[in-house]
Structure formats: structure tokens, C-alpha cells
PDB file of all heavy atoms in Angstrom:
ATOM      1  N   THR A 887      -6.469  17.978 -15.005  1.00 91.00           N
ATOM      2  CA  THR A 887      -6.311  18.363 -13.605  1.00 91.00           C
ATOM      3  C   THR A 887      -6.575  17.218 -12.630  1.00 91.00           C
ATOM      4  O   THR A 887      -5.871  17.057 -11.630  1.00 91.00           O
ATOM      5  CB  THR A 887      -7.258  19.531 -13.269  1.00 91.00           C
ATOM      6  OG1 THR A 887      -6.956  20.636 -14.130  1.00 91.00           O
ATOM      7  CG2 THR A 887      -7.084  19.979 -11.829  1.00 91.00           C
ATOM      8  N   THR A 888      -7.581  16.402 -12.912  1.00 93.00           N
ATOM      9  CA  THR A 888      -7.967  15.343 -11.967  1.00 93.00           C
ATOM     10  C   THR A 888      -6.835  14.379 -11.652  1.00 93.00           C
ATOM     11  O   THR A 888      -6.590  14.073 -10.468  1.00 93.00           O
ATOM     12  CB  THR A 888      -9.195  14.577 -12.497  1.00 93.00           C
ATOM     13  OG1 THR A 888     -10.289  15.486 -12.658  1.00 93.00           O
ATOM     14  CG2 THR A 888      -9.597  13.477 -11.531  1.00 93.00           C
ATOM     15  N   PRO A 889      -6.098  13.856 -12.637  1.00 94.00           N
ATOM     16  CA  PRO A 889      -4.986  12.959 -12.309  1.00 94.00           C
ATOM     17  C   PRO A 889      -3.920  13.614 -11.438  1.00 94.00           C
ATOM     18  O   PRO A 889      -3.294  12.945 -10.604  1.00 94.00           O
ATOM     19  CB  PRO A 889      -4.426  12.575 -13.684  1.00 94.00           C
ATOM     20  CG  PRO A 889      -5.577  12.735 -14.615  1.00 94.00           C
ATOM     21  CD  PRO A 889      -6.318  13.928 -14.101  1.00 94.00           C
ATOM     22  N   ILE A 890      -3.713  14.915 -11.602  1.00 94.00           N
ATOM     23  CA  ILE A 890      -2.731  15.609 -10.772  1.00 94.00           C
ATOM     24  C   ILE A 890      -3.178  15.600  -9.314  1.00 94.00           C
ATOM     25  O   ILE A 890      -2.380  15.344  -8.400  1.00 94.00           O
ATOM     26  CB  ILE A 890      -2.522  17.054 -11.267  1.00 94.00           C
ATOM     27  CG1 ILE A 890      -1.941  17.053 -12.677  1.00 94.00           C
ATOM     28  CG2 ILE A 890      -1.611  17.818 -10.310  1.00 94.00           C
ATOM     29  CD1 ILE A 890      -1.813  18.431 -13.296  1.00 94.00           C
ATOM     30  N   PHE A 891      -4.465  15.864  -9.086  1.00 94.00           N
ATOM     31  CA  PHE A 891      -4.993  15.819  -7.722  1.00 94.00           C
ATOM     32  C   PHE A 891      -4.900  14.403  -7.148  1.00 94.00           C
ATOM     33  O   PHE A 891      -4.622  14.218  -5.957  1.00 94.00           O
ATOM     34  CB  PHE A 891      -6.439  16.305  -7.692  1.00 94.00           C
ATOM     35  CG  PHE A 891      -6.575  17.793  -7.698  1.00 94.00           C
ATOM     36  CD1 PHE A 891      -7.131  18.450  -8.785  1.00 94.00           C
ATOM     37  CD2 PHE A 891      -6.147  18.553  -6.622  1.00 94.00           C
ATOM     38  CE1 PHE A 891      -7.258  19.830  -8.806  1.00 94.00           C
ATOM     39  CE2 PHE A 891      -6.273  19.938  -6.624  1.00 94.00           C
ATOM     40  CZ  PHE A 891      -6.816  20.575  -7.716  1.00 94.00           C
ATOM     41  N   MET A 892      -5.127  13.410  -7.988  1.00 95.00           N
ATOM     42  CA  MET A 892      -5.044  12.019  -7.522  1.00 95.00           C
ATOM     43  C   MET A 892      -3.617  11.670  -7.120  1.00 95.00           C
ATOM     44  O   MET A 892      -3.392  10.996  -6.111  1.00 95.00           O
ATOM     45  CB  MET A 892      -5.553  11.081  -8.621  1.00 95.00           C
ATOM     46  CG  MET A 892      -7.045  11.199  -8.908  1.00 95.00           C
ATOM     47  SD  MET A 892      -7.603  10.143 -10.282  1.00 95.00           S
ATOM     48  CE  MET A 892      -7.261   8.516  -9.591  1.00 95.00           C
ATOM     49  N   VAL A 893      -2.645  12.135  -7.915  1.00 95.00           N
ATOM     50  CA  VAL A 893      -1.243  11.904  -7.566  1.00 95.00           C
ATOM     51  C   VAL A 893      -0.899  12.620  -6.259  1.00 95.00           C
ATOM     52  O   VAL A 893      -0.192  12.080  -5.402  1.00 95.00           O
ATOM     53  CB  VAL A 893      -0.319  12.377  -8.703  1.00 95.00           C
ATOM     54  CG1 VAL A 893       1.140  12.401  -8.253  1.00 95.00           C
ATOM     55  CG2 VAL A 893      -0.470  11.468  -9.912  1.00 95.00           C
ATOM     56  N   GLY A 894      -1.415  13.844  -6.101  1.00 95.00           N
ATOM     57  CA  GLY A 894      -1.176  14.567  -4.860  1.00 95.00           C
ATOM     58  C   GLY A 894      -1.753  13.844  -3.666  1.00 95.00           C
ATOM     59  O   GLY A 894      -1.105  13.753  -2.610  1.00 95.00           O
ATOM     60  N   ALA A 895      -2.965  13.309  -3.818  1.00 96.00           N
ATOM     61  CA  ALA A 895      -3.593  12.569  -2.722  1.00 96.00           C
ATOM     62  C   ALA A 895      -2.806  11.304  -2.398  1.00 96.00           C
ATOM     63  O   ALA A 895      -2.610  10.944  -1.224  1.00 96.00           O
ATOM     64  CB  ALA A 895      -5.033  12.223  -3.091  1.00 96.00           C
ATOM     65  N   ALA A 896      -2.334  10.616  -3.443  1.00 96.00           N
ATOM     66  CA  ALA A 896      -1.535   9.409  -3.221  1.00 96.00           C
ATOM     67  C   ALA A 896      -0.223   9.745  -2.522  1.00 96.00           C
ATOM     68  O   ALA A 896       0.242   9.000  -1.645  1.00 96.00           O
ATOM     69  CB  ALA A 896      -1.263   8.714  -4.558  1.00 96.00           C
ATOM     70  N   THR A 897       0.386  10.869  -2.896  1.00 97.00           N
ATOM     71  CA  THR A 897       1.624  11.306  -2.255  1.00 97.00           C
ATOM     72  C   THR A 897       1.407  11.552  -0.768  1.00 97.00           C
ATOM     73  O   THR A 897       2.198  11.115   0.074  1.00 97.00           O
ATOM     74  CB  THR A 897       2.147  12.590  -2.926  1.00 97.00           C
ATOM     75  OG1 THR A 897       2.410  12.330  -4.304  1.00 97.00           O
ATOM     76  CG2 THR A 897       3.423  13.068  -2.251  1.00 97.00           C
ATOM     77  N   LEU A 898       0.327  12.249  -0.436  1.00 97.00           N
ATOM     78  CA  LEU A 898       0.025  12.516   0.973  1.00 97.00           C
ATOM     79  C   LEU A 898      -0.275  11.220   1.725  1.00 97.00           C
ATOM     80  O   LEU A 898       0.103  11.078   2.903  1.00 97.00           O
ATOM     81  CB  LEU A 898      -1.156  13.476   1.079  1.00 97.00           C
ATOM     82  CG  LEU A 898      -0.895  14.918   0.656  1.00 97.00           C
ATOM     83  CD1 LEU A 898      -2.196  15.724   0.690  1.00 97.00           C
ATOM     84  CD2 LEU A 898       0.152  15.570   1.569  1.00 97.00           C
ATOM     85  N   ALA A 899      -0.934  10.269   1.060  1.00 97.00           N
ATOM     86  CA  ALA A 899      -1.247   8.996   1.710  1.00 97.00           C
ATOM     87  C   ALA A 899       0.027   8.216   2.024  1.00 97.00           C
ATOM     88  O   ALA A 899       0.171   7.635   3.112  1.00 97.00           O
ATOM     89  CB  ALA A 899      -2.176   8.166   0.824  1.00 97.00           C
ATOM     90  N   ILE A 900       0.968   8.204   1.083  1.00 97.00           N
ATOM     91  CA  ILE A 900       2.241   7.513   1.319  1.00 97.00           C
ATOM     92  C   ILE A 900       3.010   8.196   2.442  1.00 97.00           C
ATOM     93  O   ILE A 900       3.566   7.542   3.337  1.00 97.00           O
ATOM     94  CB  ILE A 900       3.076   7.483   0.027  1.00 97.00           C
ATOM     95  CG1 ILE A 900       2.395   6.619  -1.030  1.00 97.00           C
ATOM     96  CG2 ILE A 900       4.489   6.975   0.305  1.00 97.00           C
ATOM     97  CD1 ILE A 900       3.035   6.702  -2.397  1.00 97.00           C
ATOM     98  N   PHE A 901       3.023   9.529   2.415  1.00 97.00           N
ATOM     99  CA  PHE A 901       3.690  10.285   3.473  1.00 97.00           C
ATOM    100  C   PHE A 901       3.077   9.968   4.837  1.00 97.00           C
ATOM    101  O   PHE A 901       3.795   9.740   5.814  1.00 97.00           O
ATOM    102  CB  PHE A 901       3.587  11.781   3.177  1.00 97.00           C
ATOM    103  CG  PHE A 901       4.230  12.660   4.201  1.00 97.00           C
ATOM    104  CD1 PHE A 901       5.593  12.935   4.146  1.00 97.00           C
ATOM    105  CD2 PHE A 901       3.479  13.223   5.233  1.00 97.00           C
ATOM    106  CE1 PHE A 901       6.195  13.753   5.091  1.00 97.00           C
ATOM    107  CE2 PHE A 901       4.072  14.032   6.184  1.00 97.00           C
ATOM    108  CZ  PHE A 901       5.433  14.298   6.116  1.00 97.00           C
ATOM    109  N   ALA A 902       1.749   9.935   4.895  1.00 97.00           N
ATOM    110  CA  ALA A 902       1.066   9.644   6.164  1.00 97.00           C
ATOM    111  C   ALA A 902       1.383   8.228   6.645  1.00 97.00           C
ATOM    112  O   ALA A 902       1.603   8.007   7.851  1.00 97.00           O
ATOM    113  CB  ALA A 902      -0.445   9.821   5.988  1.00 97.00           C
ATOM    114  N   ALA A 903       1.424   7.270   5.724  1.00 97.00           N
ATOM    115  CA  ALA A 903       1.708   5.886   6.105  1.00 97.00           C
ATOM    116  C   ALA A 903       3.127   5.744   6.644  1.00 97.00           C
ATOM    117  O   ALA A 903       3.355   5.070   7.672  1.00 97.00           O
ATOM    118  CB  ALA A 903       1.496   4.962   4.902  1.00 97.00           C
ATOM    119  N   LEU A 904       4.094   6.365   5.976  1.00 97.00           N
ATOM    120  CA  LEU A 904       5.478   6.291   6.444  1.00 97.00           C
ATOM    121  C   LEU A 904       5.640   7.009   7.786  1.00 97.00           C
ATOM    122  O   LEU A 904       6.369   6.541   8.671  1.00 97.00           O
ATOM    123  CB  LEU A 904       6.412   6.904   5.402  1.00 97.00           C
ATOM    124  CG  LEU A 904       6.512   6.140   4.081  1.00 97.00           C
ATOM    125  CD1 LEU A 904       7.312   6.950   3.058  1.00 97.00           C
ATOM    126  CD2 LEU A 904       7.165   4.785   4.294  1.00 97.00           C
ATOM    127  N   THR A 905       4.956   8.145   7.928  1.00 97.00           N
ATOM    128  CA  THR A 905       5.012   8.873   9.192  1.00 97.00           C
ATOM    129  C   THR A 905       4.428   8.036  10.322  1.00 97.00           C
ATOM    130  O   THR A 905       5.003   7.952  11.419  1.00 97.00           O
ATOM    131  CB  THR A 905       4.229  10.200   9.072  1.00 97.00           C
ATOM    132  OG1 THR A 905       4.815  11.003   8.048  1.00 97.00           O
ATOM    133  CG2 THR A 905       4.254  10.968  10.393  1.00 97.00           C
ATOM    134  N   ALA A 906       3.289   7.406  10.063  1.00 97.00           N
ATOM    135  CA  ALA A 906       2.660   6.565  11.079  1.00 97.00           C
ATOM    136  C   ALA A 906       3.579   5.409  11.473  1.00 97.00           C
ATOM    137  O   ALA A 906       3.673   5.054  12.668  1.00 97.00           O
ATOM    138  CB  ALA A 906       1.327   6.030  10.566  1.00 97.00           C
ATOM    139  N   TYR A 907       4.264   4.831  10.494  1.00 97.00           N
ATOM    140  CA  TYR A 907       5.171   3.721  10.794  1.00 97.00           C
ATOM    141  C   TYR A 907       6.273   4.153  11.760  1.00 97.00           C
ATOM    142  O   TYR A 907       6.575   3.446  12.726  1.00 97.00           O
ATOM    143  CB  TYR A 907       5.791   3.198   9.500  1.00 97.00           C
ATOM    144  CG  TYR A 907       6.824   2.115   9.721  1.00 97.00           C
ATOM    145  CD1 TYR A 907       6.434   0.818  10.016  1.00 97.00           C
ATOM    146  CD2 TYR A 907       8.192   2.394   9.641  1.00 97.00           C
ATOM    147  CE1 TYR A 907       7.374  -0.184  10.239  1.00 97.00           C
ATOM    148  CE2 TYR A 907       9.132   1.407   9.861  1.00 97.00           C
ATOM    149  CZ  TYR A 907       8.722   0.121  10.161  1.00 97.00           C
ATOM    150  OH  TYR A 907       9.657  -0.848  10.390  1.00 97.00           O
ATOM    151  N   VAL A 908       6.858   5.320  11.505  1.00 96.00           N
ATOM    152  CA  VAL A 908       7.922   5.806  12.379  1.00 96.00           C
ATOM    153  C   VAL A 908       7.376   6.109  13.763  1.00 96.00           C
ATOM    154  O   VAL A 908       7.999   5.764  14.788  1.00 96.00           O
ATOM    155  CB  VAL A 908       8.587   7.067  11.782  1.00 96.00           C
ATOM    156  CG1 VAL A 908       9.623   7.631  12.754  1.00 96.00           C
ATOM    157  CG2 VAL A 908       9.251   6.738  10.451  1.00 96.00           C
ATOM    158  N   PHE A 909       6.212   6.740  13.833  1.00 95.00           N
ATOM    159  CA  PHE A 909       5.647   7.098  15.137  1.00 95.00           C
ATOM    160  C   PHE A 909       5.237   5.862  15.938  1.00 95.00           C
ATOM    161  O   PHE A 909       5.361   5.846  17.157  1.00 95.00           O
ATOM    162  CB  PHE A 909       4.456   8.036  14.947  1.00 95.00           C
ATOM    163  CG  PHE A 909       4.825   9.486  14.891  1.00 95.00           C
ATOM    164  CD1 PHE A 909       5.418  10.021  13.753  1.00 95.00           C
ATOM    165  CD2 PHE A 909       4.605  10.326  15.966  1.00 95.00           C
ATOM    166  CE1 PHE A 909       5.772  11.354  13.689  1.00 95.00           C
ATOM    167  CE2 PHE A 909       4.961  11.660  15.922  1.00 95.00           C
ATOM    168  CZ  PHE A 909       5.553  12.190  14.781  1.00 95.00           C
ATOM    169  N   ILE A 910       4.744   4.857  15.246  1.00 96.00           N
ATOM    170  CA  ILE A 910       4.310   3.640  15.946  1.00 96.00           C
ATOM    171  C   ILE A 910       5.503   2.824  16.423  1.00 96.00           C
ATOM    172  O   ILE A 910       5.552   2.356  17.564  1.00 96.00           O
ATOM    173  CB  ILE A 910       3.395   2.797  15.044  1.00 96.00           C
ATOM    174  CG1 ILE A 910       2.067   3.527  14.818  1.00 96.00           C
ATOM    175  CG2 ILE A 910       3.134   1.426  15.667  1.00 96.00           C
ATOM    176  CD1 ILE A 910       1.173   2.884  13.774  1.00 96.00           C
ATOM    177  N   THR A 911       6.475   2.625  15.550  1.00 95.00           N
ATOM    178  CA  THR A 911       7.638   1.811  15.909  1.00 95.00           C
ATOM    179  C   THR A 911       8.679   2.584  16.702  1.00 95.00           C
ATOM    180  O   THR A 911       9.488   1.986  17.407  1.00 95.00           O
ATOM    181  CB  THR A 911       8.309   1.250  14.650  1.00 95.00           C
ATOM    182  OG1 THR A 911       8.837   2.330  13.847  1.00 95.00           O
ATOM    183  CG2 THR A 911       7.312   0.447  13.807  1.00 95.00           C
ATOM    184  N   ARG A 912       8.674   3.936  16.525  1.00 93.00           N
ATOM    185  CA  ARG A 912       9.648   4.815  17.175  1.00 93.00           C
ATOM    186  C   ARG A 912      11.086   4.448  16.809  1.00 93.00           C
ATOM    187  O   ARG A 912      12.019   4.676  17.581  1.00 93.00           O
ATOM    188  CB  ARG A 912       9.468   4.813  18.700  1.00 93.00           C
ATOM    189  CG  ARG A 912       8.068   5.185  19.131  1.00 93.00           C
ATOM    190  CD  ARG A 912       7.987   5.469  20.606  1.00 93.00           C
ATOM    191  NE  ARG A 912       8.670   6.712  20.926  1.00 93.00           N
ATOM    192  CZ  ARG A 912       8.150   7.921  20.759  1.00 93.00           C
ATOM    193  NH1 ARG A 912       6.937   8.061  20.246  1.00 93.00           N
ATOM    194  NH2 ARG A 912       8.834   8.997  21.078  1.00 93.00           N
ATOM    195  N   LYS A 913      11.286   3.910  15.628  1.00 92.00           N
ATOM    196  CA  LYS A 913      12.621   3.557  15.169  1.00 92.00           C
ATOM    197  C   LYS A 913      13.404   4.806  14.800  1.00 92.00           C
ATOM    198  O   LYS A 913      12.837   5.800  14.349  1.00 92.00           O
ATOM    199  CB  LYS A 913      12.552   2.612  13.965  1.00 92.00           C
ATOM    200  CG  LYS A 913      12.074   1.213  14.306  1.00 92.00           C
ATOM    201  CD  LYS A 913      12.146   0.308  13.083  1.00 92.00           C
ATOM    202  CE  LYS A 913      11.718  -1.113  13.431  1.00 92.00           C
ATOM    203  NZ  LYS A 913      11.805  -2.010  12.240  1.00 92.00           N
ATOM    204  N   ASP A 914      14.704   4.745  14.983  1.00 92.00           N
ATOM    205  CA  ASP A 914      15.590   5.845  14.629  1.00 92.00           C
ATOM    206  C   ASP A 914      16.261   5.506  13.300  1.00 92.00           C
ATOM    207  O   ASP A 914      17.068   4.580  13.221  1.00 92.00           O
ATOM    208  CB  ASP A 914      16.635   6.043  15.728  1.00 92.00           C
ATOM    209  CG  ASP A 914      17.497   7.279  15.501  1.00 92.00           C
ATOM    210  OD1 ASP A 914      17.428   7.856  14.403  1.00 92.00           O
ATOM    211  OD2 ASP A 914      18.247   7.655  16.413  1.00 92.00           O
ATOM    212  N   PHE A 915      15.925   6.250  12.265  1.00 93.00           N
ATOM    213  CA  PHE A 915      16.468   6.001  10.931  1.00 93.00           C
ATOM    214  C   PHE A 915      17.629   6.935  10.596  1.00 93.00           C
ATOM    215  O   PHE A 915      17.972   7.089   9.430  1.00 93.00           O
ATOM    216  CB  PHE A 915      15.368   6.151   9.878  1.00 93.00           C
ATOM    217  CG  PHE A 915      14.349   5.053   9.892  1.00 93.00           C
ATOM    218  CD1 PHE A 915      13.176   5.183  10.627  1.00 93.00           C
ATOM    219  CD2 PHE A 915      14.553   3.878   9.186  1.00 93.00           C
ATOM    220  CE1 PHE A 915      12.232   4.175  10.650  1.00 93.00           C
ATOM    221  CE2 PHE A 915      13.620   2.861   9.202  1.00 93.00           C
ATOM    222  CZ  PHE A 915      12.440   3.006   9.940  1.00 93.00           C
ATOM    223  N   SER A 916      18.231   7.539  11.600  1.00 90.00           N
ATOM    224  CA  SER A 916      19.344   8.451  11.326  1.00 90.00           C
ATOM    225  C   SER A 916      20.528   7.727  10.693  1.00 90.00           C
ATOM    226  O   SER A 916      21.359   8.361  10.036  1.00 90.00           O
ATOM    227  CB  SER A 916      19.781   9.164  12.605  1.00 90.00           C
ATOM    228  OG  SER A 916      20.198   8.239  13.589  1.00 90.00           O
ATOM    229  N   PHE A 917      20.611   6.410  10.865  1.00 92.00           N
ATOM    230  CA  PHE A 917      21.695   5.634  10.260  1.00 92.00           C
ATOM    231  C   PHE A 917      21.625   5.667   8.732  1.00 92.00           C
ATOM    232  O   PHE A 917      22.606   5.344   8.042  1.00 92.00           O
ATOM    233  CB  PHE A 917      21.631   4.179  10.738  1.00 92.00           C
ATOM    234  CG  PHE A 917      20.421   3.420  10.258  1.00 92.00           C
ATOM    235  CD1 PHE A 917      20.453   2.728   9.054  1.00 92.00           C
ATOM    236  CD2 PHE A 917      19.256   3.414  11.004  1.00 92.00           C
ATOM    237  CE1 PHE A 917      19.336   2.028   8.604  1.00 92.00           C
ATOM    238  CE2 PHE A 917      18.133   2.719  10.564  1.00 92.00           C
ATOM    239  CZ  PHE A 917      18.174   2.035   9.366  1.00 92.00           C
ATOM    240  N   MET A 918      20.479   6.066   8.179  1.00 92.00           N
ATOM    241  CA  MET A 918      20.306   6.071   6.733  1.00 92.00           C
ATOM    242  C   MET A 918      20.953   7.277   6.064  1.00 92.00           C
ATOM    243  O   MET A 918      21.036   7.318   4.833  1.00 92.00           O
ATOM    244  CB  MET A 918      18.808   6.059   6.381  1.00 92.00           C
ATOM    245  CG  MET A 918      18.064   4.828   6.813  1.00 92.00           C
ATOM    246  SD  MET A 918      16.268   4.959   6.540  1.00 92.00           S
ATOM    247  CE  MET A 918      16.209   5.159   4.754  1.00 92.00           C
ATOM    248  N   ARG A 919      21.405   8.235   6.847  1.00 91.00           N
ATOM    249  CA  ARG A 919      21.863   9.490   6.252  1.00 91.00           C
ATOM    250  C   ARG A 919      22.949   9.278   5.204  1.00 91.00           C
ATOM    251  O   ARG A 919      22.878   9.819   4.100  1.00 91.00           O
ATOM    252  CB  ARG A 919      22.367  10.436   7.329  1.00 91.00           C
ATOM    253  CG  ARG A 919      22.809  11.776   6.755  1.00 91.00           C
ATOM    254  CD  ARG A 919      23.390  12.685   7.796  1.00 91.00           C
ATOM    255  NE  ARG A 919      23.705  13.992   7.220  1.00 91.00           N
ATOM    256  CZ  ARG A 919      24.317  14.958   7.869  1.00 91.00           C
ATOM    257  NH1 ARG A 919      24.695  14.782   9.111  1.00 91.00           N
ATOM    258  NH2 ARG A 919      24.560  16.112   7.279  1.00 91.00           N
ATOM    259  N   GLY A 920      23.982   8.501   5.539  1.00 90.00           N
ATOM    260  CA  GLY A 920      25.081   8.300   4.603  1.00 90.00           C
ATOM    261  C   GLY A 920      24.626   7.680   3.296  1.00 90.00           C
ATOM    262  O   GLY A 920      25.017   8.113   2.204  1.00 90.00           O
TER     263      GLY A 920
END
């Protein structure tokens, strides 16, 4: 169970970091859709 929780925590950390990057830079990544 412990490694699963660690992977979950790492996933949330990566999500938070990417979210912070977008909010700080305010870049529009809609061009990536295609």
C-alpha cells in the first residue's frame, strides 16, 4: 500500500507544479490540442 500512496502523492505534486506554472506564466496552451 505505501508505494501506491507515494505514487499518488508524486502525481499530485506534479499536477500542482504544472498548475502553478500555468497560473504564474498565464500562458495559453490551447495550441497543443491538435
Side-chain angles (χ1 to χ4, degrees):
T887 301
T888 300
I890 297 175
F891 280 113
M892 292 177 64
V893 169
T897 300
L898 289 175
I900 294 171
F901 180 84
L904 293 172
T905 300
Y907 176 77
V908 176
F909 272 75
I910 292 171
T911 64
R912 304 192 70 80
K913 289 185 178 181
D914 187 349
F915 289 93
S916 60
F917 67 89
M918 296 173 61
R919 182 184 184 185

